[in-house]
Amino acid sequence: MWESLIIVSVILVFFFTRNENKKREEQDRIEEERVIREQERIEKERVLREQNKREEQERREQERLNREFWFELDGLETERELNKVFEKLGYKSELTPPQNDEGIDHVLNGEIVVQTKNTQSKVSRPDLQRFWGSWKDSHKKGIFVSIHGFSNTCEEFVKLEDKPILLYDVDDVVRM
């Protein structure tokens, strides 16, 4: 009789253990599926964030192609946006600090200085002469960007005196 009890006990332990193992395996499988679904959800969110970021960048790029975009910016915003344009054109662009920059807002490839103006009026010759005086002995070339354009005397100053200065207005910036 004891033998029968032992056999029954062993059988019960075997089935109980087997049942517990199956339950544990099922729980492990369910947990693994949950982890996989969570990883898939996280990946989908990451992809969506990246897509939204790309779309936002494309939207900003499209805005830059609009003249009104540039007219609505203040001076520092114009400098930052132009910095992005120069970098997209392949220049290593260094944005100078906003104060005490002596009329130089960007340095491109360490050689070309850039001044940016986004005022309601055209830039006049004295502004251009100050810009020329601030870098003529230290750099090879200058670019003066005036979103609202230049007076005729600026163009004369550059052409007649053969200065290595390029003058860009909003249309030039949009084309860039």
Side-chain angles (χ1 to χ4, degrees):
M1 163 122 177
W2 283 106
E3 290 175 350
S4 297
L5 274 174
I6 290 175
I7 291 173
V8 168
S9 295
V10 168
I11 291 172
L12 284 174
V13 166
F14 172 76
F15 282 111
F16 178 75
T17 304
R18 187 172 154 210
N19 195 25
E20 286 299 311
N21 285 343
K22 282 186 174 185
K23 284 181 182 178
R24 195 173 313 115
E25 286 173 2
E26 180 65 15
Q27 288 173 342
D28 288 347
R29 186 188 62 76
I30 290 171
E31 178 62 17
E32 190 175 306
E33 287 177 359
R34 187 194 66 74
V35 167
I36 289 171
R37 282 193 308 275
E38 181 65 15
Q39 288 172 338
E40 288 172 347
R41 183 190 64 77
I42 289 170
E43 179 62 15
K44 284 179 183 176
E45 287 179 359
R46 184 191 65 77
V47 167
L48 185 61
R49 277 193 310 274
E50 286 179 4
Q51 181 181 353
N52 288 342
K53 185 178 178 181
R54 278 192 308 275
E55 288 173 357
E56 177 63 18
Q57 287 172 337
E58 288 173 10
R59 185 187 65 74
R60 291 290 287 177
E61 288 301 315
Q62 287 302 314
E63 281 183 353
R64 279 191 199 101
L65 297 176
N66 182 341
R67 296 176 84 223
E68 293 305 313
F69 169 79
W70 292 97
F71 291 137
E72 292 172 3
L73 299 176
D74 68 24
L76 286 176
E77 291 170 331
T78 303
E79 289 177 23
R80 289 186 195 113
E81 290 298 324
L82 272 174
N83 203 55
K84 294 175 188 174
V85 170
F86 291 134
E87 287 176 348
K88 280 199 174 246
L89 290 172
Y91 291 100
K92 180 180 176 265
S93 180
E94 177 187 340
L95 194 59
T96 62
Q99 283 83 22
N100 300 323
D101 61 11
E102 297 182 18
I104 297 173
D105 299 318
H106 309 267
V107 179
L108 307 179
N109 294 345
E111 298 177 348
I112 304 169
V113 294
V114 181
Q115 179 163 12
T116 304
K117 291 279 187 205
N118 194 351
T119 57
Q120 294 299 315
S121 59
K122 293 181 177 187
V123 166
S124 63
R125 184 176 177 146
D127 293 321
L128 191 57
Q129 288 172 314
R130 279 191 293 280
F131 173 61
W132 167 246
S134 70
W135 62 269
K136 68 180 179 183
D137 296 326
S138 61
H139 291 85
K140 294 180 179 182
K141 188 184 235 183
I143 299 173
F144 202 120
V145 179
S146 172
I147 298 300
H148 291 272
F150 299 88
S151 69
N152 291 337
T153 57
C154 288
E155 293 171 13
E156 291 170 6
F157 176 75
V158 172
K159 287 179 185 174
L160 296 178
E161 299 192 28
D162 198 30
K163 303 284 186 236
I165 302 172
L166 299 173
L167 304 178
Y168 292 157
D169 64 12
V170 70
D171 295 324
D172 297 314
V173 172
V174 168
R175 277 191 292 273
M176 285 191 240

